[in-house]
Amino acid sequence: MHLAYPVVLAALLFSVGVYGVLARRNTILVLMSVELMLNAVNLNLVAFDVWLRDTLHAGQALTLFTITLAAAEIGLGLAIVLLVFRTRGTADVDRVNGLGDDASGDASGDASGDAAADAEPAEAAA
């Protein structure tokens, strides 16, 4: 088997993963795209390990570490996504833009607009 086949497949998988990270707005789909990119790297590691006929099988050992890190990343990533979804009500990447934002998504932090809106009905009643 030629080395070009798994390398081309890994390049296609990595390209699809990059497209998913850049084009998707749902956090779960972004995490799945990152996993796709990690699997493309794993495919390259194993393919080059077999091609080089390494006696220590360093590529396969590194693949096991990468799979372990990917599992930990998914566990933490899903926990963070669930926490953000519970507090904000959305898992959209564009709407969640900072840790200091309030639940309404207003990043300005300007309370004068809210105070003016609250004072307006009181003036109208008087």
Side-chain angles (χ1 to χ4, degrees):
M1 179 187 217
H2 295 287
L3 181 64
Y5 297 133
V7 170
V8 168
L9 179 63
L12 289 174
L13 286 174
F14 196 84
S15 300
V16 170
V18 168
Y19 173 75
V21 167
L22 296 177
R24 300 293 178 191
R25 296 293 151 232
N26 190 349
T27 312
I28 301 296
L29 292 177
V30 170
L31 285 173
M32 287 175 58
S33 298
V34 169
E35 289 296 319
L36 197 60
M37 290 189 295
L38 284 172
N39 285 330
V41 170
N42 288 339
L43 180 62
N44 269 336
L45 284 171
V46 171
F48 278 102
D49 183 50
V50 169
W51 184 65
L52 293 173
R53 300 183 201 278
D54 187 16
T55 57
L56 294 176
H57 298 292
Q60 293 178 19
L62 192 57
T63 298
L64 288 176
F65 285 119
T66 308
I67 290 171
T68 305
L69 287 175
E73 176 253 335
I74 278 296
L76 287 174
L78 285 177
I80 291 170
V81 167
L82 286 175
L83 183 65
V84 167
F85 184 76
R86 284 183 187 168
T87 57
R88 307 267 172 98
T90 183
D92 191 11
V93 176
D94 288 337
R95 299 208 42 214
V96 179
N97 57 2
L99 294 177
D101 291 347
D102 58 352
S104 65
D106 183 25
S108 65
D110 186 20
S112 63
D114 295 334
D118 291 339
E120 194 172 319
E123 292 173 4

